[in-house]
Amino acid sequence: MLKTLAAQIKEFKRDSILTPIFMILEVLMETLIPFLMASIIDNGVNKGDIHHIYVVGAWMVVAACFSLFAGIMGGKYGARASTGFARNLRKSMFENIQTFSFANIDKYSTAGLVTRMTTDVTNLQNAYQMILRMCTRAPASLICAMAMSFFISPKLASVYLIAVILLGGVLAIIIRFATRYFNEAFPKYDDLNARVQENVSAIRVVKAYVREDHEASTFKKASGNIYKLLVKAENVVVFNAPAMQFTVYTCILLISWLGAKMIVNSSLTTGELMSLLTYCMNILMSLMMLSMVFVMITMSVASARRVSEVLNEKSNLNNPKHPVMEVKDGSITFDHVTFSYKEDAAEPVLSDINLSIHSGETIGILGGTGSSKSSLVNLISRLYDVNEGSVSVGGIDVRKYDLDTLRNQVAVVLQKNVLFSGTILDNLRWGDKNATEEECIRACKLACADDFINTFPDKYNTYIEQGGTNVSGGQKQRLCIARALLKKPKILILDDSTSAVDTATDAKIRKAFAEEIPGTTKLIIAQRISSVQSADRIIVLDEGKINGFGTHEELLANNAIYRDVYESQTGGGGDFDENGGAQ
């Protein structure tokens, strides 16, 4: 874990080294000042030597200026090192997440990843700055002040030693109990972020069902859980201050009492006593700083572990040593494919799938909810790897291709259509960043999107809100289809992507595909028979197995499930799941 995090310091190593150097310099100057002050009192004030006062006073000013300069530089470099460290963490996490396969993504919740990149990284940033500054300053101040105290009076300095041991024990107990509560509190931020994300993304549903009070209550509960744990932790940490004050004042009383007796006995000077009292504050304040550093570091251990998990997570889909860099054609072969999302799953999602699809064919895919239609097509672009068997594209196993090469030739319009904030052209160019406006317009005409785009005042420069909230479901689907067409793929997968468009528009889209991109293999997942009956062949899936595969006429004659669905939809207006569909 430490090695993973340390690797993110990168270009801020110089700042990370200079920070503790300046902090030590600051401590040395601060330690020197009480010693010079004692000299002024004993050799200047008591003896009436004004020259000595001026000379030593000047050295005190120089020491104070050096201390101020070192403190400023330590703060400057510490801030740069910690913020740069946090920046590198976020950048590396985000870049690593982009490489994740769907199987990797499934391990983490969206809210969990957001928390790790925000709250957890902020905790590590604060902890790193504390380590560079306080973890250097506090021990150095403690050691220097203790050494000077023993140099002045070993007898009185032993009071500090006893106080340090006792206070250290108290702080250890405080840290132990506070740490437990902090470790429980920070993972709760995942729940809080999940509530916020779910509520904001589904705000229309919340308002439609008048569930604002319920959502507010749920958020209050999630927030309350964090509040309770943090209050418990702070109730423990709060004992730090009184324990420190009790120790400081006790030490001051003992040093004053014992020191006064030693001054009377001429074994200690007034200046030395004042220096010892100053060192008393340095020693005990150093302990308090150390205690806060330990609390902060302990709080950050859970965050460090969570961030390291994301940084160390490696995609289970990797390029082979010598990947194939060209997809010959759009032919697809499934050879005894068995697949499940988890290795220890009781039943596979797909079982013994055997298919041979020719390049340029239009294939319809029908099946009830949960029949694994999306799982089947996800294997083609290698979003997941099969457990058994093989999937080939262009006659080559997909595991032998370069991932980018394969996915650039397999365009997928997902069930859940996603548009990004930006103009329509910006969204279309996700398919091809170098596409001209004319190419975008042609793709939109194929997807029957050009008509409604031209009704907008800004046409193709119309701004799309985040998530595509200012366009309808059918318009969003057609824009996503156009975006996929701009990739000029050898395989086009439409995963129930025309469910929100009317039947006439659906027919126009299918006709345009047949006429304009005949060489592209088209896989159309649909619930409506009308969407696939003109396909070259149709796959009927039932509980992760192929129940039928053939033309519309062949399936009507030979497949009971397909025939029942056809009759229900053409006769009674039912859907796949109501009659004969696999559940």
Side-chain angles (χ1 to χ4, degrees):
M1 181 176 72
L2 292 177
K3 185 178 179 181
T4 300
L5 297 177
Q8 300 306 316
I9 299 173
K10 296 179 181 177
E11 68 269 32
F12 297 98
K13 289 179 181 177
R14 173 176 166 270
D15 298 318
S16 299
I17 294 170
L18 287 175
T19 301
I21 291 174
F22 278 113
M23 298 312 296
I24 291 173
L25 180 61
E26 181 187 20
V27 167
L28 291 174
M29 293 300 103
E30 287 181 353
T31 305
L32 183 61
I33 289 173
F35 186 76
L36 294 174
M37 183 178 66
S39 179
I40 287 177
I41 293 172
D42 293 337
N43 300 318
V45 176
N46 291 343
K47 295 180 180 180
D49 187 348
I50 193 68
H51 177 72
H52 183 80
I53 293 174
Y54 283 147
V55 172
V56 177
W59 280 110
M60 286 182 67
V61 171
V62 171
C65 289
F66 267 110
S67 178
L68 177 62
F69 172 75
I72 291 173
M73 298 306 291
K76 173 188 173 182
Y77 287 117
R80 285 179 56 179
S82 60
T83 54
F85 175 60
R87 185 199 72 179
N88 289 343
L89 281 176
R90 291 192 183 98
K91 181 183 177 184
S92 295
M93 287 175 68
F94 186 80
E95 289 177 347
N96 198 42
I97 289 170
Q98 299 307 302
T99 68
F100 284 0
S101 67
F102 282 15
N104 296 118
I105 289 290
D106 292 342
K107 293 181 181 180
Y108 304 96
S109 66
T110 303
L113 289 174
V114 170
T115 303
R116 291 166 203 248
M117 294 188 68
T118 52
T119 304
D120 288 329
V121 171
T122 301
N123 289 340
L124 290 177
Q125 176 181 337
N126 294 335
Y128 189 57
Q129 187 168 37
M130 293 279 276
I131 289 170
L132 291 180
R133 298 186 65 192
M134 295 299 104
C135 258
T136 304
R137 176 186 171 83
S141 181
L142 178 66
I143 293 169
C144 289
M146 190 69 76
M148 292 300 293
S149 297
F150 273 96
F151 176 77
I152 294 170
S153 175
K155 181 179 179 181
L156 290 180
S158 61
V159 173
Y160 298 153
L161 190 59
I162 295 171
V164 166
I165 294 172
L166 293 176
L167 188 58
V170 172
L171 295 179
I173 294 171
I174 291 173
I175 291 170
R176 178 183 177 186
F177 284 97
T179 298
R180 185 176 66 187
Y181 293 125
F182 281 125
N183 284 340
E184 292 177 13
F186 283 105
K188 295 291 183 183
Y189 279 104
D190 285 358
D191 298 333
L192 187 69
N193 284 342
R195 295 309 312 165
V196 173
Q197 181 192 22
E198 188 175 52
N199 182 268
V200 172
S201 61
I203 192 67
R204 289 169 174 77
V205 178
V206 173
K207 289 187 176 296
Y209 284 87
V210 196
R211 298 285 284 178
E212 292 93 339
D213 291 342
H214 171 76
E215 288 297 309
S217 174
T218 307
F219 178 83
K220 183 178 179 181
K221 182 179 179 181
S223 180
N225 289 334
I226 298 175
Y227 167 79
K228 290 175 184 177
L229 287 169
L230 290 180
V231 165
K232 287 180 179 179
E234 294 297 338
N235 283 340
V236 175
V237 173
V238 78
F239 285 103
N240 194 7
M244 184 64 61
Q245 290 177 350
F246 175 78
T247 306
V248 168
Y249 294 139
T250 301
C251 285
I252 290 174
L253 286 172
L254 286 172
I255 294 298
S256 299
W257 180 54
L258 295 172
K261 293 178 71 173
M262 293 177 70
I263 290 173
V264 171
N265 295 330
S266 300
S267 57
L268 189 74
T269 66
T270 304
E272 289 174 337
L273 177 60
M274 291 188 66
S275 297
L276 285 170
L277 290 173
T278 304
Y279 290 135
C280 169
M281 293 300 296
N282 286 356
I283 291 168
L284 298 178
M285 290 303 293
S286 297
L287 272 179
M288 187 168 71
M289 284 191 290
L290 275 176
S291 70
M292 296 310 298
V293 168
F294 286 134
V295 169
M296 177 62 73
I297 291 174
T298 307
M299 286 167 53
S300 303
V301 168
S303 295
R305 189 178 299 114
R306 287 155 55 84
V307 169
S308 296
E309 283 178 2
V310 177
L311 290 173
N312 290 326
E313 183 77 26
K314 299 301 179 187
S315 174
N316 59 347
L317 300 180
N318 298 303
N319 282 337
K321 289 184 178 180
H322 303 288
V324 178
M325 302 301 292
E326 182 182 359
V327 179
K328 184 176 65 174
D329 57 47
S331 61
I332 304 167
T333 304
F334 284 74
D335 184 14
H336 296 286
V337 168
T338 297
F339 169 71
S340 59
Y341 288 101
K342 295 183 179 180
E343 293 182 1
D344 57 350
E347 294 290 335
V349 175
L350 293 167
S351 300
D352 197 29
I353 301 296
N354 288 286
L355 286 172
S356 181
I357 299 169
H358 305 303
S359 182
E361 270 194 300
T362 298
I363 303 295
I365 303 176
L366 285 174
T369 303
S371 60
S372 304
K373 302 184 296 296
S374 296
S375 300
L376 180 75
V377 297
N378 282 343
L379 299 178
I380 297 171
S381 54
R382 204 189 170 198
L383 297 178
Y384 296 92
D385 270 341
V386 299
N387 299 104
E388 297 177 17
S390 65
V391 178
S392 299
V393 171
I396 297 174
D397 193 320
V398 293
R399 289 169 290 196
K400 296 181 179 179
Y401 280 109
D402 172 70
L403 277 171
D404 290 346
T405 299
L406 175 65
R407 290 174 183 173
N408 275 327
Q409 294 301 324
V410 181
V412 183
V413 183
L414 299 170
Q415 228 170 354
K416 185 178 180 182
N417 299 286
V418 177
L419 294 176
F420 298 89
S421 54
T423 65
I424 290 176
L425 283 175
D426 291 337
N427 274 276
L428 292 173
R429 285 173 177 147
W430 274 68
D432 180 2
K433 63 182 179 182
N434 298 316
T436 64
E437 187 170 346
E438 290 71 24
E439 289 174 321
C440 292
I441 292 172
R442 183 176 180 277
C444 287
K445 286 180 177 178
L446 289 176
C448 295
D450 183 63
D451 292 341
F452 76 79
I453 292 174
N454 285 319
T455 64
F456 296 147
D458 295 326
K459 300 187 184 329
Y460 282 83
N461 290 312
T462 300
Y463 190 82
I464 301 293
E465 301 292 341
Q466 184 178 4
T469 55
N470 59 332
V471 291
S472 70
Q475 290 171 340
K476 192 187 298 185
Q477 284 188 337
R478 283 177 275 176
L479 286 173
C480 290
I481 292 172
R483 181 175 63 189
L485 290 174
L486 277 173
K487 291 183 72 172
K488 302 178 180 66
K490 288 187 168 63
I491 298 172
L492 175 63
I493 298 172
L494 303 178
D495 189 353
D496 206 12
S497 304
T498 57
S499 58
V501 302
D502 58 85
T503 306
T505 303
D506 185 13
K508 287 180 183 178
I509 293 173
R510 286 184 282 109
K511 182 180 178 183
F513 286 172
E515 294 175 353
E516 299 292 336
I517 50 172
T520 298
T521 304
K522 296 165 282 291
L523 303 180
I524 303 172
I525 297 176
Q527 294 291 341
R528 296 188 299 225
I529 291 286
S530 60
S531 297
V532 297
Q533 68 179 24
S534 60
D536 297 316
R537 288 185 290 174
I538 301 166
I539 301 168
V540 179
L541 281 175
D542 182 21
E543 296 184 352
K545 298 178 181 178
I546 295 179
N547 184 271
F549 185 31
T551 64
H552 171 69
E553 291 75 17
E554 289 171 347
L555 292 174
L556 273 181
N558 303 318
N559 190 273
I561 291 178
Y562 187 84
R563 186 168 53 250
D564 288 345
V565 175
Y566 176 78
E567 291 173 354
S568 68
Q569 290 188 3
T570 55
D575 64 21
F576 191 94
D577 286 329
E578 288 176 353
N579 292 281
Q583 301 295 323

